[in-house]
Amino acid sequence: MADYDLVVRGGQVASGFGTMRCDIGIRGGRIVALAESIADGTATLDAGGLLVLPGGVDSHCHIEEPARGGYVGTGGDLAVTVNEESFRTASTSAFAGGTTSVVCFVPQWKGEGILPRLADYEQRAAKGMLDYSFHQIISDPTDEVLEREVPQIVARGIRSLKVFLTYEPLHLSDEQFLKVLVTARRHGCLVTVHCENYAAIKWRTEMLIKAGMTAPKYHAWSRPIVVEREATHRAIALAELVDQPIQVFHVSCAEAAEEIARAQHRGLKVWGETCPQYLTLTAADMDRPGFEGAAYMCSPSPRTVEEQGRVWEMIRRGTLDVVSSDHCGFSMGGEAGKAANGRDAPFRDIPNGIPGLAARLPILFSEGVSKGRITLDHFVRLTATNPARLMGLAPRKGVIAIGADADLALWDPKKKAVIKNPLMQHAIDYTPYEGLEVTGWPVATIRRGEVVMRDGVVQAEPGSGQFLPRGAYDFIAPRGVLANGFDAAPAPS
Ligand code: DUC
Ligand code: ZN
Ligand code: ZN
């Protein structure tokens, strides 16, 4: 009997900290050998001429998330919307693009605890093929939720709490945000934050709509850079006050990134994430005829070409160290997606979010590595190693090392492709990246030793994805520096 279930032979293995030609021996879903030459396994895959990368880790994806209001600006009694993407379709899309693990969001609906939604979400996620972990959204931080339910989800392997500083049904006040921060600190969780100023956006939105400026392009006008910069500053200040590590999600501009850089220089544990949309799309994309601009509508808003350059610079400096997709797909056709409130709805009532699970790695590789903006090692760290480490998934995920899960993307760095919606293999009827020419494409994806995509054909058993429970991890431990030495979150006596 062969020593290995699968051998990946002859590739250039990119670890995030250097590249070397070596063979990879896989047994029981794990990497068990890395050597210049390994004997054939039960199966052998020729990776000659290809890069072998850790499977992508996308630590920010909205998949099949039953969201009340579907990320629109309106409040009130909104219909419940479920993202059109199921865990099954999302898994296919992720594998098509070289991603093997995701962290997605368990919702909390105002007026409810978090446990009922978790039970429902666990069942949905279990039907996919991707490996997955959860962030828990906190939109109603009652004492019951924070004191009784959070310890229970932590015990079930959830180690990140997500808060929104905007969106009508989701945003928290500063006081509520502080309560979440101290709860996270007490239980060893990371807090991930959507940073935009709720009141400022609400006020500008009302003024724009009153002035008849309702087209999709005014979405960008409702939330200029200053509202993101202010909320980023405030999130960092409040996190500093209680010594709680945070990750700032989807940074779209240099001004917000500079707030993060300043915090990092003060020694704070503040991390910044950006997404391909802030490197390739602009606010002008929303200025298309009729409803078309809705296809590019996400929050924060895409900015300008100049701003894209500044975001690249903040990636190069290391201020922004994770590139996720913020995959949140709503189809342009039908009644469940962007047009849920009608095709002439004001921008305020159009769901925010764009699909990007499959496009993330090809876009970042092409715009980053192929165009010489970042190195291959840096690409691997941004898309796999760093998100895995920050989310407490390393060293099982995000690395090519003995003992790690055998999650790999075999990558042709020379292969040219034009992004078209069928290539994305998602459930959404469009991609905002349609027509983008890329150099570099995944030719095979391996998840825990199983070849789940080859030449664009995805084959994996529904329900084969595994939940990735996360235990306590040092990387996000508080610094032990409290304002006046006063602990606002002492353990209960
Ligand atoms: N931004 C989006 O565009 N969609 C989902 C949530 C978010 O913050
Ligand atoms: Zn967000
Ligand atoms: Zn998001």
Side-chain angles (χ1 to χ4, degrees):
M1 206 174 94
D3 281 345
Y4 309 108
D5 304 328
L6 177 67
V7 168
V8 177
R9 182 180 303 296
Q12 283 290 123
V13 176
S15 68
F17 300 93
T19 304
M20 62 188 168
R21 207 217 62 72
C22 87
D23 294 350
I24 301 175
I26 296 164
R27 195 170 52 234
R30 303 218 159 185
I31 297 172
V32 293
L34 292 165
E36 266 179 37
S37 177
I38 293 179
D40 277 349
T42 307
T44 297
L45 202 58
D46 179 15
L50 300 175
L51 298 172
V52 183
L53 314 175
V57 177
D58 195 337
S59 52
H60 184 167
C61 298
H62 301 269
I63 300 171
E64 207 177 334
E65 184 186 315
R68 241 188 204 158
Y71 296 118
V72 285
T74 353
D77 288 329
L78 286 157
V80 171
T81 61
V82 177
N83 281 353
E84 294 155 76
E85 201 77 83
S86 69
F87 271 88
R88 225 168 130 168
T89 58
S91 297
T92 302
S93 185
F95 292 159
T99 287
T100 46
S101 309
V102 289
V103 189
C104 36
F105 297 87
V106 184
Q108 182 195 7
W109 292 355
K110 272 207 161 76
E112 282 188 0
I114 53 181
L115 298 179
R117 292 287 129 228
L118 175 58
D120 168 70
Y121 203 62
E122 280 172 335
Q123 287 186 10
R124 293 169 187 267
K127 297 191 176 115
M129 300 88 91
L130 268 167
D131 286 357
Y132 58 95
S133 192
F134 297 147
H135 303 288
Q136 175 65 57
I137 293 175
I138 306 283
S139 62
D140 197 355
T142 60
D143 290 349
E144 169 76 3
V145 164
L146 297 181
E147 287 166 22
R148 209 183 62 78
E149 295 193 320
V150 167
Q152 292 182 57
I153 64 159
V154 168
R156 282 157 77 167
I158 297 178
R159 283 280 169 176
S160 41
L161 306 180
K162 161 77 186 288
V163 303
F164 291 87
L165 301 186
T166 194
Y167 285 126
E168 189 63 46
L170 297 169
H171 74 281
L172 300 188
S173 67
D174 288 355
E175 187 183 354
Q176 290 175 316
F177 179 39
L178 276 166
K179 284 185 180 174
V180 174
L181 288 167
V182 296
T183 302
R185 190 171 142 261
R186 181 184 294 167
H187 297 289
C189 295
L190 179 69
V191 175
T192 60
V193 194
H194 178 123
C195 294
E196 291 185 295
N197 182 304
Y198 165 74
I201 293 170
K202 184 169 189 275
W203 176 71
R204 275 179 79 83
T205 298
E206 280 165 12
M207 293 303 163
L208 284 162
I209 288 177
K210 220 184 246 175
M213 299 157 100
T214 59
K217 75 169 184 181
Y218 294 111
H219 173 72
W221 291 39
S222 72
R223 49 217 320 134
I225 279 175
V226 59
V227 307
E228 185 181 346
R229 190 227 308 145
E230 184 279 335
T232 304
H233 176 88
R234 182 160 36 99
I236 292 169
L238 297 181
E240 180 174 3
L241 186 68
V242 299
D243 189 23
Q244 168 57 36
I246 60 170
Q247 184 190 29
V248 178
F249 268 167
H250 45 45
V251 175
S252 74
C253 57
E255 288 188 21
E258 278 156 9
E259 296 291 340
I260 296 168
R262 268 193 285 282
Q264 291 170 344
H265 289 149
R266 288 203 299 283
L268 304 185
K269 287 192 170 183
V270 175
W271 295 274
E273 169 213 80
T274 190
C275 315
Q277 48 269 42
Y278 304 115
L279 302 169
T280 54
L281 303 180
T282 69
D285 285 310
M286 282 179 278
D287 189 10
R288 297 187 186 216
F291 192 62
E292 245 183 85
Y296 307 88
M297 189 184 281
C298 57
S299 290
S301 169
R303 308 293 181 188
T304 59
V305 170
E306 293 72 30
E307 203 58 43
Q308 291 171 3
R310 293 183 199 112
V311 174
W312 275 114
E313 181 54 27
M314 293 314 235
I315 289 175
R316 274 193 296 268
R317 289 186 201 173
T319 306
L320 304 176
D321 69 346
V322 167
V323 177
S324 305
S325 67
D326 196 4
H327 178 87
C328 187
F330 299 96
S331 285
M332 288 293 283
E335 284 167 14
K338 291 278 187 185
N341 294 311
R343 295 183 78 77
D344 52 3
F347 69 85
R348 181 196 58 197
D349 300 339
I350 299 172
N352 292 191
I354 58 176
L357 200 38
R360 177 181 72 120
L361 296 182
I363 290 178
L364 195 72
F365 188 91
S366 183
E367 293 293 317
V369 183
S370 303
K371 293 194 176 171
R373 289 181 170 115
I374 54 173
T375 63
L376 173 63
D377 280 339
H378 199 168
F379 168 83
V380 169
R381 294 198 298 273
L382 290 164
T383 56
T385 319
N386 291 348
R389 188 171 56 159
L390 183 56
M391 292 303 153
L393 296 171
R396 181 173 171 191
K397 300 292 186 186
V399 294
I400 297 178
I402 306 268
D405 278 359
D407 292 345
L408 305 169
L410 272 52
W411 199 272
D412 184 343
K414 298 259 161 22
K415 186 165 172 178
K416 291 190 187 298
V418 178
I419 293 188
K420 294 196 180 305
N421 199 45
L423 284 178
M424 302 294 97
Q425 302 199 41
H426 52 208
I428 310 305
D429 64 1
Y430 83 100
T431 166
Y433 307 110
E434 185 81 23
L436 184 70
E437 292 176 19
V438 294
T439 303
W441 197 259
V443 295
T445 304
I446 298 171
R447 184 224 50 199
R448 280 182 279 109
E450 195 182 328
V451 180
V452 289
M453 185 280 281
R454 203 154 177 190
D455 296 324
V457 179
V458 173
Q459 242 176 348
E461 188 60 28
S464 59
Q466 284 185 1
F467 176 62
L468 303 168
R470 299 183 275 154
Y473 56 112
D474 281 350
F475 195 66
I476 59 159
R479 295 187 312 143
V481 181
L482 286 161
N484 308 108
F486 174 67
D487 189 350
S493 47

